[in-house]
Amino acid sequence: MTATPTSTFHGPVAEHYARFRRGYPPVVVDELAAALDLDAGSRVLDVGCGTGQLTLPLAARTRAALGVDVEPDMLRLAHRAAADAGAGNVTWVLGADRDLGALAAFTGEDVFDAATIGQALHWMDVPDLFRRLALLVRPGGGVAVVTNGEPQWLLDVAWSRALRGHLERWLGRPLTARCGTDADSRRGYRDALVAAGFARVEERAVAYRDELTFAQLVGSVYSAMSPDSLPTGEARETFEHRLREALGPATTFTEDVRVSLLVGRS
Ligand SMILES: C[S@@+](CC[C@H](N)C(=O)[O-])C[C@H]1O[C@@H](n2cnc3c(N)ncnc32)[C@H](O)[C@@H]1O
C-alpha cells in the first residue's frame, strides 16, 4: 500500500499521542460492540488507528483486528502497545484511506464484519472511503464513525477557555476546527454512509467524566499540535509556565466527555 503521511502525527507528537491521548473506556467499547453486533468471532478493520486507542480494545473482544494508518510513527507505537498488552490478534498496515481498494485485492471482498474510524475521518475522503468499505465489509456488517469528545480547548468550562486563550496567543491564530464533532460534519457523514449502502444509520452517545492532571492535559495538547508548532527545549518550559499561570491554582481539570458513535449497517 502507498501512503503519504499527514503533517501532524509523527515524531514527538506520536510519542505524546501514545502516552497521553485518552483511549476509549470499556463502557464505550461495550456500546460500540453492541451497535456493530461484534463477538469473539468478528473481524474488524480500524482505519486511522493511530497508536491503537480503539483497535486494541476491539481486538480484545473479537477474533482479529486490522489497524491501518498513514503515519509510520503511530503504527510503530501501536505495534509496541499491542506487544505490551499481549495482543496477538492484531495486524498493522501502513496505508491511507484511499489505499483500501488495494487491500481488497489481497483480502478479497466481504472479509470484515465491521469497520471503525476513531477521531480520524476529518482527514479522509469520506464518500470514497465509505464506498471502499462497502466492498470490504460483509453484507449486514457495519461502519462506525467514533468521535472521542470535543477538542479540549473548545469546552464550555473555565479551564478550557483559559487553555484556548493560551494556545491562540501561542499559535497566533484562532482555534475553531471541531475535528468532525460538529453537527454539519456528522450530517455529511450520515449522508455518505447511506449513499455507500450503509443505510440503517443510528447515532449513539456515551458520556463519562474524566479528571486530568496538569501533566495529562499538557501531554494531550502536545499530541494534537503539529511538530512545527510543538514547543521544544526552553520554549517548552515557557509554554508550560504560561499555561500553568493561565489555568490558575487548580491541580486537576474535570472534563465531561461525550463520545459519539455514528453507526451505519448495510
Ligand atoms: C486523531 S488520530 C486518531 C487515532 C485513534 N483512532 C483514536 O481514536 O485515538 C488520527 C489518526 O488518523 C491518521 N490519518 C490521518 N489521515 C489519514 C488517512 N488519510 N488515512 C489513514 N490514516 C490517516 C493519523 O495518522 C492519525 O494516526
Side-chain angles (χ1 to χ4, degrees):
M1 290 163 91
T2 58
T4 308
T6 65
S7 57
T8 300
F9 296 100
H10 58 90
V13 175
E15 301 283 343
H16 281 100
Y17 206 100
R19 183 152 172 226
F20 292 106
R21 186 63 77 97
R22 89 157 48 86
Y24 299 87
V27 63
V28 172
V29 187
D30 288 347
E31 191 72 17
L32 185 57
L36 291 168
D37 274 341
L38 299 180
D39 60 30
S42 303
R43 290 156 305 174
V44 180
L45 169 64
D46 186 29
V47 188
C49 62
T51 57
Q53 274 77 1
L54 191 54
T55 331
L56 289 173
L58 285 173
R61 56 176 76 203
T62 55
R63 178 173 152 202
L66 178 68
V68 175
D69 200 284
V70 76
E71 287 287 352
D73 285 349
M74 295 295 264
L75 280 188
R76 178 176 51 78
L77 293 165
H79 197 266
R80 188 198 290 169
D84 289 349
N89 62 341
V90 194
T91 298
W92 307 102
V93 171
L94 179 68
D97 54 330
R98 65 181 174 282
D99 298 324
L100 291 174
L103 181 65
F106 292 102
T107 61
E109 297 184 1
D110 303 339
V111 290
F112 294 98
D113 298 290
T116 54
I117 308 105
Q119 202 59 63
L121 195 56
H122 53 294
W123 299 93
M124 300 177 188
D125 182 334
V126 178
D128 254 34
L129 171 62
F130 290 167
R131 277 194 290 273
R132 291 187 171 112
L133 292 180
L135 295 178
L136 287 163
V137 174
R138 66 165 171 80
V143 172
V145 179
V146 182
T147 53
N148 201 3
E150 298 273 324
Q152 279 163 325
W153 46 88
L154 294 182
L155 307 177
D156 191 16
V157 287
W159 65 259
S160 173
R161 286 189 283 275
L163 171 62
R164 179 178 177 177
H166 172 70
L167 288 174
E168 289 185 338
R169 278 190 298 281
W170 186 268
L171 297 169
R173 60 183 167 84
L175 290 175
T176 52
R178 303 202 85 91
C179 305
T181 61
D182 57 287
D184 279 353
S185 299
R186 312 285 302 165
R187 250 192 309 280
Y189 299 160
R190 172 184 278 266
D191 292 348
L193 278 172
V194 173
F198 298 100
R200 292 183 290 141
V201 183
E202 64 165 332
E203 187 119 28
R204 299 188 182 201
V206 181
Y208 68 97
R209 181 162 280 190
D210 201 9
E211 294 283 339
L212 301 164
T213 63
F214 180 72
Q216 287 170 322
L217 185 59
V218 173
S220 183
V221 166
Y222 289 161
S223 80
M225 292 174 93
S226 77
D228 295 342
S229 50
L230 197 72
T232 53
E234 279 180 25
R236 183 170 296 184
E237 274 176 43
T238 308
F239 177 91
E240 292 181 14
H241 178 71
R242 290 194 188 147
L243 176 58
R244 189 58 280 187
E245 281 182 345
L247 291 172
T251 52
T252 56
F253 306 91
T254 304
E255 182 176 350
D256 286 317
V257 185
R258 185 178 184 278
V259 178
S260 78
L261 313 172
L262 179 67
V263 178
R265 306 283 301 269
S266 60

